[in-house]
Amino acid sequence: MRVIAGTAGGIHLLTPEGMLTRPTIERVKEAIFSSLQFELPGMRVLDLFAGTGQMGIEALSRGAKCADFVDHRREALDLVRENLRRTGLADKAEVHCMDYESFLQSRKTRYDLILLDPPYGENFLEKSLKIITEIDILSNDGIIISERPVGKPLVGDFPGLIAKKDRRYGTVLITKFRKSIEE
């Protein structure tokens, strides 16, 4: 696994052993960031289920202003910290060891880009989208990128978010949401 483009492009990132973390495959990551390339510079990013940190690191490498990385597992955050150090992007990042609900409920900051790639076997995606819309931490015209397995429907109503068509990459579905701006 490596950073694809930007200031840290080509740097290999550490990955965990075992199955507790499921890094986004490179082809999916490249498609996501190609669709965001002109919007990333200056963005404030939240990588909510950070795992290795590769998604938030890719955003920073491509010009995002700063990023918060959140995971409840210390081992995962040790990897995030090491990957930030390897890429020289640690000064643009904050790492938070806490569960996603507690983190979201404690936030006053608004984000321009929120990356959601939670464990597939849980309903964390729907819960996090619901909390994000309730506490309104997505900036006007902000973007949420969510990842889930093919065959797992996204159930729920997320007021204030407009979902674009799902994009399928093998066994993965990516949904891009944009905050709707009321006129």
Side-chain angles (χ1 to χ4, degrees):
M1 182 175 65
R2 65 182 175 86
V3 179
I4 297 169
T7 59
I11 295 176
H12 287 272
L13 301 176
L14 298 178
T15 57
E17 295 192 19
M19 298 299 291
L20 286 177
T21 300
R22 174 196 31 77
T24 301
I25 59 175
E26 219 165 274
R27 174 172 77 106
V28 174
K29 182 169 65 168
E30 189 162 2
I32 289 168
F33 284 99
S34 290
S35 76
L36 297 172
Q37 67 183 340
F38 299 113
E39 298 181 85
L40 274 172
M43 279 188 153
R44 182 174 187 86
V45 176
L46 171 59
D47 191 344
L48 191 56
F49 300 91
T52 62
Q54 72 157 327
M55 297 297 283
I57 288 170
E58 189 73 37
L60 288 172
S61 179
R62 293 177 182 233
K65 175 181 169 183
C66 57
D68 284 323
F69 294 83
V70 180
D71 206 298
H72 71 282
R73 294 173 297 125
R74 288 202 186 281
E75 317 80 60
L77 293 176
D78 288 344
L79 273 178
V80 172
R81 284 185 189 92
E82 178 57 22
N83 285 332
L84 285 164
R85 187 197 64 73
R86 294 175 122 218
T87 57
L89 297 168
D91 62 330
K92 295 181 176 186
E94 287 189 34
V95 178
H96 307 270
C97 188
M98 57 197 313
D99 71 88
Y100 75 98
E101 290 178 275
S102 299
F103 179 82
L104 289 173
Q105 295 294 349
S106 71
R107 287 293 95 180
K108 303 282 186 266
T109 306
R110 285 190 172 228
Y111 296 94
D112 305 304
L113 175 62
I114 300 176
L115 303 164
L116 301 176
D117 183 11
Y120 282 176
E122 306 293 335
N123 64 350
F124 297 158
L125 181 56
E126 290 87 349
K127 281 185 175 180
S128 58
L129 285 166
K130 185 175 181 338
I131 295 169
I132 288 165
T133 59
E134 287 172 354
I135 63 175
D136 194 28
I137 62 167
L138 189 62
S139 65
N140 289 339
D141 207 31
I143 299 167
I144 298 174
I145 301 290
S146 70
E147 182 175 330
R148 69 184 194 280
V150 169
K152 182 178 182 183
L154 188 57
V155 180
D157 184 30
F158 312 109
L161 295 180
I162 299 169
K164 305 292 181 185
K165 181 180 174 190
D166 288 337
R167 299 275 184 213
R168 182 179 177 155
Y169 301 92
T171 60
V172 174
L173 287 175
I174 300 296
T175 305
K176 183 177 183 179
F177 295 90
R178 193 170 286 273
K179 184 173 182 178
S180 62
I181 302 172
E182 296 180 17
E183 295 182 22

